[in-house]
Amino acid sequence: MTTYVWYFIRATGTVAYLILYTSVMVGLFSQVQKKRKQKIGNTLYLHESLSNWALILIAAHLIFLFFDTYVSFQWFELLVPFATDYKPLPMAIGTVSLYALLVTFITTKLRKQIGIQTWRKLHMLTPVLYIFVTAHALLIGTDFQASSILLLNILPLSIFLWLLFKRHGTSTAA
Ligand code: HEM
């Protein structure tokens, strides 16, 4: 039984990460489309839907962790950073990522109420969330290898830096 739960913890974490990765790629693609003056409505819908699915998978990741009899976590050990003796730093990074993702989800749902400009500024912090999730997976995961994660992330990182460069180039030229 313990082995199955462990498989599910790894599977839900890995699928959540891959969905988040795809969501990041789709989000970056929407900015490329915007630069090319193309419509981005459908792309943004996909970006948001993928992030919602990642959140569902992360909820499952936590539920399986709670039922893990190998370590036997209490709820507060999963929800309060550094409350556990089991790999405290990678666990805390996971908990902080969870909260950051929840804040992103809630502020996106309330973006009209909080104002699009404020929401956009908050959303600019999501690369930090992605870096945190990547660090969590690399530090604690069984299946995550630094070389393959680096390879996987070269493309989104390059697009992100290109968009930053373009934005900076446009704002200094203006
Ligand atoms: C944004 C939220 C999170 C994401 C995307 C995420 C993703 C992942 C990924 C990708 C793995 C690696 C799977 C593997 O290679 O084994 C993993 C493993 C793990 N995560 Fe998370 N995680 C998140 C939140 C959390 C939280 C809040 C905790 C608990 C505090 C947690 C605890 C663990 C543990 C204990 C493992 C190790 C499983 C093993 O033994 O291999 N995660 N997570």
Side-chain angles (χ1 to χ4, degrees):
M1 176 67 179
T2 308
T3 317
Y4 283 115
V5 173
W6 185 52
Y7 284 145
F8 281 123
I9 294 168
R10 287 160 61 191
T12 47
T14 304
V15 177
Y17 185 82
L18 291 177
I19 295 178
L20 267 186
Y21 172 85
T22 315
S23 173
V24 167
M25 290 297 284
V26 172
L28 289 170
F29 178 63
S30 76
Q31 296 310 299
V32 175
Q33 281 185 311
K34 210 170 160 185
K35 290 239 167 291
R36 292 180 179 158
K37 312 241 180 298
Q38 292 168 340
K39 288 194 175 145
I40 58 171
N42 288 343
T43 317
L44 287 184
Y45 177 76
L46 181 62
H47 173 61
E48 202 175 330
S49 306
L50 284 167
S51 306
N52 294 346
W53 275 106
L55 205 54
I56 293 169
L57 262 296
I58 290 157
H61 188 56
L62 284 176
I63 290 167
F64 285 119
L65 279 163
F66 184 65
F67 287 107
D68 182 19
T69 46
Y70 179 71
V71 182
S72 287
F73 293 111
Q74 302 291 315
W75 271 116
F76 70 90
E77 291 181 274
L78 301 177
L79 299 178
V80 180
F82 298 106
T84 175
D85 291 333
Y86 179 78
K87 302 188 180 178
L89 183 63
M91 290 284 285
I93 296 174
T95 306
V96 172
S97 308
L98 168 74
Y99 291 136
L101 200 66
L102 279 173
V103 169
T104 310
F105 174 79
I106 293 165
T107 52
T108 301
K109 291 284 171 230
L110 298 176
R111 61 184 177 272
K112 289 208 176 101
Q113 285 85 340
I114 58 174
I116 297 293
Q117 294 300 330
T118 314
W119 170 78
R120 233 175 237 147
K121 278 185 195 147
L122 281 172
H123 212 70
M124 298 277 271
L125 295 173
T126 49
V128 179
L129 156 70
Y130 187 70
I131 291 168
F132 265 56
V133 170
T134 307
H136 165 75
L138 279 173
L139 291 172
I140 207 169
T142 310
D143 311 303
F144 274 59
Q145 306 292 325
S147 51
S148 44
I149 291 304
L150 190 71
L151 210 65
L152 186 73
N153 282 299
I154 281 176
L155 186 60
L157 189 68
S158 313
I159 302 173
F160 178 70
L161 291 176
W162 177 74
L163 284 168
L164 259 188
F165 177 75
K166 278 263 175 190
R167 183 181 290 237
H168 184 70
T170 318
S171 61
T172 47

